[in-house]
Amino acid sequence: MATATVPAARRPGAPASGRARPGLRKQRRRNTLAALLFISPWIVGALIFTVWPILYSGYLSLTDYDVINAPTFIGLDNYRQLVNDPKVADALWNTTFYTVLVVPLQIIFSLFLAMLLNEAGRASGFFRTTFYLPNMTPPVAVGILLLLLFNGERGLINKALGWLGVNGPNWTTDPNWVKPALVLMALWSVGSTVIILLAALRNVPAEMYDSAKVDGANFWQRTTKITIPMISGTIFFLVIVNTIASFQTFTEAYTAFFGSNYSNDAALFYAIYLFQQAFEFLHMGYASALAWLLFLIIMIITGVQFIFSRRLVYYEGEQR
Amino acid sequence: MTSTEAGARLEVAERAVTNEPRPHYRRDRSKRPLPVKIIVGVLLVAFTALFIYPFIWLISASFKPRGEVFDNKIIPDTFTLENYVRVWQEAPLALWIFNTVLVTVLAATAVTISSAMVAWGFAYFRFKGRGPLFGVVLATMMLPGAVTMVPVFLIWNQLGQVGTLTPLWAQNIFGSAFYIFLLRQFFLGLPRDIFEAARVDGASNWRMFSRIAVPLCRPALIVTLIFEFQASWTNLMAPLIYLRDSDTFTVPRGLKAMLDQFGFGGNWNWEIVVTASVITTIPMIILFFLAQRHFVEGIATTGVKG
């Protein structure tokens, strides 16, 4: 794309290749130097805060380290402990259960809202804004709202259920209902997912719907045969993105269910357990091993989702 | 680095590979039958109410006297400003707000300037190894923050910065992979002729960047500023890791401490926690309304999740 610099006609006798011209070579070297100068903040930062931490974390995961005393090498003991730690199993179960529940619900609910917005015409700007508003609420405040709205005896949710004649559960204390409460709260902040889906919906050609209507396709057929296939690429992404995010859920759950003298192990998500091991119990080596397990799990899930997507995702312009 | 960011990074990376800009398709909505329009309208209004109601509830609860937080009335029986007075007495809220503003301003400014520089380095110059190096940038976007969390803490601990606000923003002077990616996309969209012309006129590399490229990319820079401001303002995990002393707390960290003290602490002063939540949320809401257009467009075009 550097065509703009190529002269329209070369002077007769001039060297055929720019490489041979000393001036140009010097300029190229200067260019590389300038580029590296611009990029240098990132290179320095990546070496200090990414490359070194990855290597060091790998090493730490093989040690016993409490920050005060020097790390002692213990081989694979951390990983052995991790396999036998019932809390790790609990945390993984809680995280997986939450993810399996929250991700599909988020996508379906967001798609529903995005389709509504797509039909809203001129007013969609206003509704878009209101749907995004909860995303601006600091997660700590969301955690607090959860405690209050889902309070078993006096919370608004159970009052509303009471009007419908339903006896609501003790969301915030009953281990069976803590995760559903977190899921419902997560559905409140789907705004950004909605906006991404709306952008995808706007890119579906209108003629497709028109011709489908001429052929007599009803709303359901148009949705399943046109809309969803056409935006399947975006949906796939959101599934991956939301899964990864969900596997690292921390703030809302930690705020609402863990405190100075309070914890509800039904909300013990993997990221919370990792945080506790590292910064509450100062088991830095064990926490590093936990971090690597999380990394591995996320890689596997993402990999599996990619394999599935080959069959399910339609990319425009792709040859089949 | 929040968890959602990691995901957003992946989205953006893939978009770059698969999504070419497409023409805008418009559907003629005037042809819709009236009942459809009515159903759509009713549903939209209903969901809007559902999304807004918790805010209204929260704000209204902050004006209720002690013990009436749960009465769930929107207009309180007795309207009181006492909670706002008490919050100020119970916690060093002004100090927390000052700390948070300091951290967010430094974090957002630093990350925007450095990410723009790096992005420009990748967008404008052609040099050996540019492709692979940018591949590394993309790869770091996908790394879960948990893997580097412990060693990065140990670095700040070695530097004697644990307990100060420095770890909450200083890393940002090295840029952030996600914003580098975002800004590079915008820089690549600028017509190259402008820069060739400036070069002929003898403009230096720095001048081309700071006087031509940066002003032309203002919208993208604003998006970066806003996103980092939001991420930084709402962050709880980093303050939990790095801050010890109540005087150094940021607002979310302080709010969590208040919840532990007044909520779980046994005396159940929910109205204090509620009021502090309102105070924490309001700056974000103001920012949102000021920058609303940039927010929504930024998300739609880049796939960022807040």
Side-chain angles (χ1 to χ4, degrees):
Chain A
M1 269 192 248
T3 46
T5 48
V6 174
R10 201 173 276 128
R11 247 183 304 118
S17 155
R19 196 172 281 276
R21 277 160 55 185
L24 208 85
R25 185 192 282 176
K26 208 171 129 197
Q27 201 200 323
R28 187 173 296 163
R29 202 185 302 142
R30 265 219 323 261
N31 248 348
T32 306
L33 195 71
L36 288 177
L37 273 176
F38 273 103
I39 294 168
S40 59
W42 177 76
I43 293 179
V44 173
L47 289 175
I48 302 174
F49 290 109
T50 308
V51 176
W52 166 248
I54 289 175
L55 298 173
Y56 197 56
S57 162
Y59 164 69
L60 276 181
S61 74
L62 305 173
T63 68
D64 185 13
Y65 184 42
D66 61 0
V67 187
I68 300 138
N69 302 298
T72 21
F73 189 81
I74 53 165
L76 291 174
D77 279 5
N78 282 328
Y79 291 96
R80 249 169 248 139
Q81 189 190 336
L82 176 157
V83 175
N84 296 315
D85 186 346
K87 287 245 180 184
V88 170
D90 284 350
L92 276 177
W93 162 247
N94 286 337
T95 312
T96 312
F97 181 87
Y98 173 78
T99 304
V100 167
L101 215 57
V102 83
V103 174
L105 286 175
Q106 274 176 336
I107 304 285
I108 292 166
F109 185 48
S110 303
L111 185 59
F112 175 70
L113 290 180
M115 285 171 73
L116 274 181
L117 281 177
N118 203 25
E119 297 297 326
R122 236 171 248 281
S124 85
F126 167 77
F127 292 113
R128 219 165 50 166
T129 306
T130 56
F131 289 162
Y132 188 72
L133 209 51
N135 286 56
M136 297 300 296
T137 314
V140 185
V142 175
I144 289 169
L145 259 174
L146 186 156
L147 282 177
L148 296 167
L149 295 177
F150 284 86
N151 183 292
E153 283 141 39
R154 299 182 290 171
L156 187 63
I157 304 282
N158 277 3
K159 283 246 173 84
L161 287 175
W163 297 327
L164 300 172
V166 180
N167 216 341
N170 279 319
W171 301 89
T172 54
T173 49
D174 184 341
N176 292 321
W177 289 97
V178 164
K179 283 182 281 287
L182 279 162
V183 169
L184 287 173
M185 213 62 210
L187 288 183
W188 186 53
S189 13
V190 290
S192 51
T193 308
V194 173
I195 289 167
I196 294 170
L197 282 171
L198 180 62
L201 288 177
R202 296 254 155 107
N203 277 332
V204 180
E207 308 90 73
M208 282 192 157
Y209 291 104
D210 294 340
S211 49
K213 260 187 207 164
V214 172
D215 293 345
N218 62 28
F219 174 77
W220 180 249
Q221 287 166 326
R222 289 197 302 270
T223 304
T224 53
K225 298 278 156 67
I226 301 176
T227 310
I228 292 176
M230 287 302 287
I231 62 168
S232 55
T234 306
I235 292 179
F236 169 57
F237 265 141
L238 290 169
V239 169
I240 288 192
V241 164
N242 289 9
T243 305
I244 294 175
S246 163
F247 252 84
Q248 299 186 70
T249 304
F250 177 81
T251 307
E252 289 89 340
Y254 186 83
T255 304
F257 298 112
F258 294 86
S260 43
N261 52 9
Y262 176 75
S263 77
N264 189 332
D265 282 352
L268 185 72
F269 290 132
Y270 198 84
I272 293 176
Y273 189 54
L274 204 164
F275 170 84
Q276 285 185 328
Q277 285 293 341
F279 301 105
E280 285 176 18
F281 313 142
L282 296 180
H283 297 157
M284 295 287 175
Y286 191 49
S288 300
L290 286 173
W292 279 98
L293 178 65
L294 177 67
F295 188 29
L296 188 75
I297 290 171
I298 289 179
M299 292 237 296
I300 291 172
I301 292 175
T302 312
V304 168
Q305 285 173 337
F306 263 99
I307 292 166
F308 264 99
S309 79
R310 291 241 174 99
R311 296 175 43 208
L312 298 173
V313 176
Y314 165 80
Y315 288 112
E316 215 175 326
E318 191 182 19
Q319 298 288 321
R320 290 212 174 220
Chain B
M1 260 182 237
T2 59
S3 50
T4 32
E5 253 176 71
R9 291 163 180 180
L10 194 72
E11 150 90 357
V12 166
E14 166 108 11
R15 246 160 206 272
V17 189
T18 56
N19 274 19
E20 290 291 304
R22 290 183 211 143
H24 228 74
Y25 300 101
R26 282 239 160 264
R27 295 164 69 183
D28 188 3
R29 281 173 197 84
S30 54
K31 280 190 295 196
R32 294 265 185 285
L34 191 64
V36 172
K37 280 185 184 171
I38 291 173
I39 293 170
V40 166
V42 168
L43 284 173
L44 277 170
V45 171
F47 279 107
T48 302
L50 216 59
F51 276 77
I52 300 252
Y53 195 81
F55 286 106
I56 297 170
W57 184 89
L58 198 68
I59 291 167
S60 124
S62 73
F63 292 112
K64 287 174 190 170
R66 174 140 209 224
E68 281 177 35
V69 167
F70 283 108
D71 73 0
N72 294 327
K73 286 182 187 134
I74 280 304
I75 316 259
D77 287 339
T78 8
F79 178 92
T80 174
L81 288 170
E82 199 201 320
N83 298 330
Y84 284 89
V85 178
R86 271 191 67 201
V87 159
W88 238 263
Q89 291 165 344
E90 297 281 359
L93 204 57
L95 198 56
W96 292 349
I97 292 171
F98 173 79
N99 290 338
T100 319
V101 170
L102 188 74
V103 166
T104 42
V105 168
L106 285 172
T109 317
V111 91
T112 307
I113 293 171
S114 56
S115 301
M117 278 176 58
V118 177
W120 176 248
F122 278 115
Y124 178 71
F125 299 98
R126 330 254 150 206
F127 56 94
K128 240 184 172 172
R130 184 177 74 145
L133 204 57
F134 195 68
V136 177
V137 177
L138 294 185
T140 58
M141 299 204 307
M142 292 162 210
L143 187 78
V147 177
T148 53
M149 191 167 80
V150 168
V152 169
F153 166 80
L154 295 172
I155 291 173
W156 290 116
N157 193 35
Q158 279 291 311
L159 295 172
Q161 295 301 314
V162 170
T164 74
L165 295 171
T166 317
L168 304 191
W169 63 269
Q171 231 171 297
N172 280 358
I173 61 176
F174 301 111
S176 145
F178 168 66
Y179 300 125
I180 292 169
F181 183 88
L182 180 95
L183 292 169
R184 175 179 162 273
Q185 294 300 97
F186 276 80
F187 284 137
L188 285 176
L190 298 178
R192 232 181 141 72
D193 307 357
I194 306 176
F195 300 105
E196 301 304 343
R199 168 131 296 174
V200 170
D201 289 345
S204 68
N205 277 323
W206 178 255
R207 216 181 150 73
M208 277 202 288
F209 167 68
S210 61
R211 292 296 159 83
I212 304 174
V214 163
L216 286 173
C217 278
R218 230 181 55 165
L221 295 170
I222 292 173
V223 168
T224 307
L225 267 175
I226 297 172
F227 280 137
E228 187 59 27
F229 196 91
Q230 188 198 6
S232 199
W233 184 278
T234 59
N235 191 354
L236 175 70
M237 204 196 238
L240 276 173
I241 293 173
Y242 291 106
L243 304 180
R244 299 283 142 88
D245 196 19
S246 164
D247 286 349
T248 60
F249 280 2
T250 59
V251 178
R253 180 66 189 86
L255 189 52
K256 172 64 180 150
M258 289 184 95
L259 177 66
D260 290 346
Q261 187 190 340
F262 295 107
F264 302 138
N267 51 1
W268 306 102
N269 280 296
W270 284 111
E271 67 286 355
I272 295 292
V273 183
V274 160
T275 310
S277 302
V278 173
I279 296 171
T280 313
T281 310
I282 280 174
M284 281 294 93
I285 304 291
I286 293 171
L287 176 73
F288 180 60
F289 279 106
L290 289 178
Q292 192 244 103
R293 203 166 44 88
H294 296 292
F295 254 116
V296 173
E297 273 166 24
I299 293 160
T301 52
T302 63
V304 179
K305 306 240 296 118

